Amino acid sequence: MRLGLLFLGLLLLGPILSEYGLKLVSEALILGLYAMAFNLLFHQAGLLSFGQAAFFGVGAYAMALLVSRAGWPFLATLPVAVLASALVAFIIGFLSIRLTRIYFTMLTLAFAQLLYAVAHKWYAFTGGDNGITDLRPAGILGESLPFYYLTLLLFALGVGFLAALERSPFGYALRGLRDNRARAEAVGVDGFRHLLLAFVLSGALSGVAGFLQGALQRSVFPDYLFWTRSAEAIISTILGGSGVFLGPAVGAAAFLFLRVLVQANTEYWPFFLGLLLLVMVLFFPRGLAGVWENLAGWVARGVRRGAAGG
Amino acid sequence: MRKGWIWFLALALGLAWAQGQQPIKIGALFILSGNFAGYGKSGSQGAQLAVEEINARGGILGRPLQLIVVDDQGNPEVGVREARRLILQEKVNFLFGVDSSSVSLAVAPLTDEYKIPLVVTHAATPALTEQCRPYVFRTSNNARMDAWAAAALAATLPVKRWANIGPDYEFGRVSWQDFITRLKQLRPDVEVVSEQWPRFGSTDYASFITALMRARPEGVFSTLWAGDMVIFARQAKAFGFFNQVRYFVNPVGAALEVLAPLGKETPEGLLVSTRYWFLYPNTERNRSFVEAYRKRYNEYPSYNAQEAYAGIHMLALAIQKARSTQAEAVRRAFEADGGLVYEAPEGRKRMRPEDHQVFEGLVWGYTKHSPNYPFAILDRMRITPATDTVYPTQCKR
């Protein structure tokens, strides 16, 4: 219900926004979807994937290669982008999920960096560090408002799907595995299969985000596969709070807007980012969403105390 | 003093009132943070100096120039985001600068989309101008011109056995390919004995240096630049590399961003070039530029400073000629009469109308220490005329 209101609000926001505002909010939605996909693994399944960039990048490159090399229309590449990133997630997940904790994290990082190296070096196919440019979608989707609505539609579908998934038996099983894997498996949950499926779904949604981001930026570069891209999902999630369903999306929007704001006025963005993370981790470990809940709690308590005093 | 200010203000206000004109806005993208911040800093300083000069003369078309410099971090995604902000929010008329090749390639499609011309003053990938975009111009020389000039020089050296050490990305790879292909056209008898590709940003070159020395080349071509060249030179010197290799040829090795940090450690006798060397040419034009730059910033102008300075002046010339800031008119002004010509501090720059690439003479020399400067300077200078760097283009106008 609350999700529906949010989507409706974003829908109505479209025509009010300036051209630049549309680009920014579109990018925030894309980053939000990507962070939400990461949080499916992080919060629901308890897996810290440091290779999320691999799926984001594969989605973007699938779109870019088909559009620029094979002349496909932009939208027609969506299913391929989703399938390609899901397939890559299946392979990486199949090999990584056998490991746990730091070993799992490092292996996902290694696979993502491997794909980065391929994109970076294979000039004939990916264009290397020259990237693939001129990816403005032909026709109406090359305009800001229609593209914003496409982004919103895919964001809403993705987030709606994740919300349904969280409440489904599959979501319960994932949380069970996260909290106590031995016990969950003892009652008959197949840990490997559940986690692998979660990994593939998360990869596919990240691929959708990459698909959109490449078109929004009009170009795709190996940076899309670099580990800093994986870190963006993690930072957004820390910023927004992983424990609240929409936390990562809120964190992604805050991260992006803050970055643009700081960037426009100083060249010290990395410094601000470090400071921000320090403050968030030390004082607000539950993220912006946690701050919001605390505030709400204080207000409620204040009202009660006020009532008692009167 | 105080009165002077008031007069100045009154004059400025009067001018603004008389003209009733908006400034011409130029949005510059440079790297202002991280390892390459030095390049972006000097670039933006050069551009700023040119803007101040032009405004002191009353601006262009009666309108002052306004420079807005932003940090693109050398990251194509940040570059596109910032370029969009400049175009859509700051309403700039032109985009300018750009250090990183990948940022320049990422931003280039926006020039078609928003009809905002981009003047590139540093990014050197030949691919940028080979895309033949109508509103992309490069007023600095590119990596292919450097490689061709290096080949023209190398062909005159008594060297048959060549090797390469370059950063392992597009710039290093393409430069070496261009250099050796061109050299083999000029001197079919040369041979390649070794190719080394350290990662861009490496800090340990020991294995590459020993591999090169084992191959016993007589000449080594290198496009290591910025901090990479500084670290490599220090380590190679410790190995006695420069005693064994007779000719070390680096088309980007004479950048002040390399020579200044190396200081007196720079080995002598390296055959290096840069897009602009502040002691050449010994003309009134160049001396007054160097003096003005030193007075303003208390340092010598590096190549990036001079290229950005010249880029702003070329753009201003084109706007003047077009009598408009409109993209199509400015394009025609750049292309007209066989291409726009500008007498820069470093000499004549002429834009090729077909691909919007500027061609110019290049200066080479052997490093040598002098008591007058805290870093090595160029000795026995050799000038490659612009005609030796003109490669064919596929663009048509």
Side-chain angles (χ1 to χ4, degrees):
Chain A
M1 187 58 219
R2 271 156 70 190
L3 274 183
L5 279 177
L6 174 75
F7 297 148
L8 188 69
L10 287 168
L11 195 72
L12 296 176
L13 197 61
I16 309 168
L17 286 169
S18 68
E19 169 93 5
Y20 181 63
L22 284 171
K23 298 285 186 205
L24 264 190
V25 179
S26 301
E27 194 166 359
L29 289 176
I30 294 168
L31 189 60
L33 178 62
Y34 173 54
M36 295 287 292
F38 162 78
N39 203 35
L40 165 66
L41 290 180
F42 185 64
H43 182 64
Q44 302 287 315
L47 295 172
L48 174 57
S49 156
F50 216 115
Q52 213 63 12
F55 320 124
F56 185 89
V58 165
Y61 267 100
M63 181 277 291
L65 287 168
L66 286 172
V67 168
S68 72
R69 306 272 195 271
W72 283 33
F74 166 65
L75 261 189
T77 66
L78 177 60
V80 184
V82 172
L83 281 178
S85 40
L87 182 70
V88 171
F90 179 79
I91 296 166
I92 295 179
F94 188 80
L95 297 168
S96 310
I97 287 172
R98 291 153 199 282
L99 304 179
T100 52
R101 296 163 207 261
I102 187 81
Y103 307 103
F104 166 81
T105 303
M106 293 316 285
L107 198 58
T108 53
L109 172 64
F111 277 117
Q113 286 297 93
L114 190 78
L115 285 177
Y116 166 74
V118 170
H120 193 262
K121 301 273 161 99
W122 195 1
Y123 283 94
F125 188 58
T126 63
D129 48 324
N130 278 350
I132 301 170
T133 60
D134 293 279
L135 296 174
R136 184 184 187 182
I140 193 169
L141 282 176
E143 304 301 325
S144 295
L145 190 62
F147 189 82
Y148 170 75
Y149 280 126
L150 173 72
T151 306
L152 181 57
L153 174 70
L154 293 178
F155 177 80
L157 287 175
V159 169
F161 174 73
L162 285 172
L165 192 134
E166 189 178 338
R167 285 190 292 269
S168 72
F170 180 71
Y172 282 100
L174 284 182
R175 290 194 290 281
L177 285 164
R178 174 195 69 190
D179 293 339
N180 192 333
R181 182 159 181 175
R183 199 162 162 184
E185 287 187 332
V187 295
V189 176
D190 184 337
F192 183 77
R193 282 194 168 186
H194 274 77
L195 294 179
L196 185 58
L197 182 57
F199 203 83
V200 169
L201 292 174
S202 168
L205 286 175
S206 302
V208 174
F211 158 87
L212 288 168
Q213 180 75 356
L216 178 73
Q217 291 281 320
R218 316 294 194 230
S219 53
V220 171
F221 284 86
D223 289 34
Y224 278 34
L225 292 151
F226 201 53
W227 67 266
T228 49
R229 177 75 47 173
S230 305
E232 277 179 17
I234 301 174
I235 292 169
S236 299
T237 304
I238 292 175
L239 197 58
S242 67
V244 181
F245 178 68
L246 272 177
V250 172
F255 173 75
L256 184 73
F257 295 147
L258 208 64
R259 181 169 186 172
V260 168
L261 195 71
V262 171
Q263 186 98 47
N265 296 299
T266 80
E267 55 260 23
Y268 303 116
W269 162 245
F271 170 76
F272 278 93
L273 177 61
L275 205 65
L276 182 70
L277 281 180
L278 213 64
V279 169
M280 291 310 291
V281 171
L282 285 179
F283 301 110
F284 308 105
R286 290 167 61 226
L288 287 175
V291 173
W292 173 253
E293 284 182 353
N294 284 349
L295 274 180
W298 284 333
V299 169
R301 247 174 291 152
V303 168
R304 244 177 284 138
R305 202 172 301 143
Chain B
M1 191 62 217
R2 204 140 173 203
K3 259 188 179 152
W5 268 109
I6 292 169
W7 270 112
F8 180 78
L9 256 175
L11 192 73
L13 279 174
L15 267 176
W17 177 79
Q19 309 288 347
Q21 291 278 28
Q22 294 288 319
I24 298 174
K25 286 188 170 185
I26 301 173
L29 299 159
F30 283 111
I31 303 178
L32 299 175
S33 56
N35 285 347
F36 303 99
Y39 286 85
K41 176 171 164 269
S42 57
S44 53
Q45 287 179 354
Q48 187 59 42
L49 184 65
V51 164
E52 285 166 13
E53 278 182 15
I54 290 165
N55 286 345
R57 306 195 299 241
I60 299 292
L61 311 180
R63 297 166 64 182
L65 293 184
Q66 185 189 344
L67 186 72
I68 304 169
V69 182
V70 297
D71 180 15
D72 64 32
Q73 302 173 1
N75 175 323
E77 197 176 41
V78 177
V80 168
R81 198 182 289 139
E82 287 297 301
R84 275 210 179 113
R85 187 174 66 76
L86 288 170
I87 294 169
L88 298 172
Q89 287 297 98
E90 305 281 354
K91 312 272 183 224
V92 299
N93 305 94
F94 300 95
L95 291 173
F96 186 83
V98 189
D99 296 303
S100 145
S101 285
S102 51
V103 174
S104 72
L105 292 169
V107 170
L110 301 187
T111 62
D112 297 323
E113 197 171 328
Y114 297 105
K115 303 277 179 288
I116 294 290
L118 163 69
V119 176
V120 173
T121 60
H122 188 192
T125 176
L128 178 69
T129 33
E130 281 305 287
Q131 291 175 338
C132 315
R133 289 184 195 276
Y135 309 126
V136 172
F137 307 89
R138 178 157 45 202
T139 57
S140 55
N141 45 305
N142 67 38
R144 178 161 299 152
M145 295 162 63
D146 285 331
W148 276 45
L153 262 179
T156 66
L157 300 175
V159 173
K160 273 190 182 172
R161 295 165 59 81
W162 282 96
N164 170 68
I165 177 161
D168 189 12
Y169 74 108
E170 200 254 0
F171 166 65
R173 296 266 176 186
V174 170
S175 293
W176 167 244
Q177 219 45 56
D178 283 345
F179 169 79
I180 199 66
T181 312
R182 180 68 178 154
L183 181 58
K184 280 181 171 164
Q185 285 170 5
L186 301 170
R187 277 275 299 271
D189 61 329
V190 297
E191 55 174 325
V192 176
V193 295
S194 175
E195 283 182 35
Q196 301 300 324
W197 298 107
R199 184 179 55 80
F200 183 45
S202 282
T203 50
D204 181 7
Y205 293 89
S207 59
F208 302 104
I209 294 165
T210 49
L212 276 180
M213 290 174 75
R214 264 202 313 278
R216 301 228 150 251
E218 296 160 327
V220 172
F221 176 80
S222 175
T223 47
L224 293 175
W225 65 287
D228 288 17
M229 182 59 200
V230 174
I231 296 167
F232 169 80
R234 286 202 178 115
Q235 294 178 358
K237 204 176 172 185
F239 276 90
F241 173 84
F242 296 108
N243 300 332
Q244 187 201 310
V245 175
R246 287 173 60 204
Y247 292 95
F248 181 82
V249 177
N250 186 333
V252 286
L256 283 182
E257 286 85 349
V258 171
L259 294 181
L262 274 175
K264 293 292 179 193
E265 285 179 79
T266 309
E268 291 200 319
L270 309 184
L271 183 50
V272 289
S273 175
T274 173
R275 294 176 198 162
Y276 161 75
W277 177 244
F278 70 101
L279 293 171
Y280 177 86
N282 191 8
T283 55
E284 180 51 39
R285 173 89 184 89
N286 188 38
R287 279 194 304 270
S288 65
F289 165 70
V290 173
E291 199 179 312
Y293 189 89
R294 284 195 72 189
K295 207 169 138 200
R296 179 77 169 77
Y297 302 111
N298 200 23
E299 61 188 38
Y300 292 107
S302 72
Y303 77 84
N304 210 24
Q306 193 267 169
E307 292 296 354
Y309 171 88
I312 289 281
H313 275 292
M314 273 192 99
L315 174 59
L317 270 183
I319 298 170
Q320 187 77 56
K321 209 169 151 189
R323 307 216 55 77
S324 157
T325 56
Q326 201 256 337
E328 192 57 31
V330 170
R331 178 180 72 80
R332 279 197 301 270
F334 266 120
E335 290 174 0
D337 313 321
L340 194 74
V341 174
Y342 170 64
E343 301 296 338
E346 64 173 316
R348 173 168 297 185
K349 284 174 176 286
R350 178 187 289 278
M351 181 159 290
R352 178 157 67 181
E354 287 82 10
D355 59 350
H356 298 169
Q357 171 64 52
V358 154
F359 288 88
E360 64 196 27
L362 302 175
V363 55
W364 285 74
Y366 292 89
T367 50
K368 186 179 173 36
H369 290 289
S370 143
N372 299 331
Y373 297 94
F375 45 79
I377 59 167
L378 296 186
D379 181 39
R380 289 182 282 152
M381 282 195 266
R382 300 185 59 173
I383 312 306
T384 317
T387 45
D388 276 7
T389 63
V390 179
Y391 59 86
T393 175
Q394 51 160 358
C395 301
K396 289 182 183 68
R397 298 284 176 206

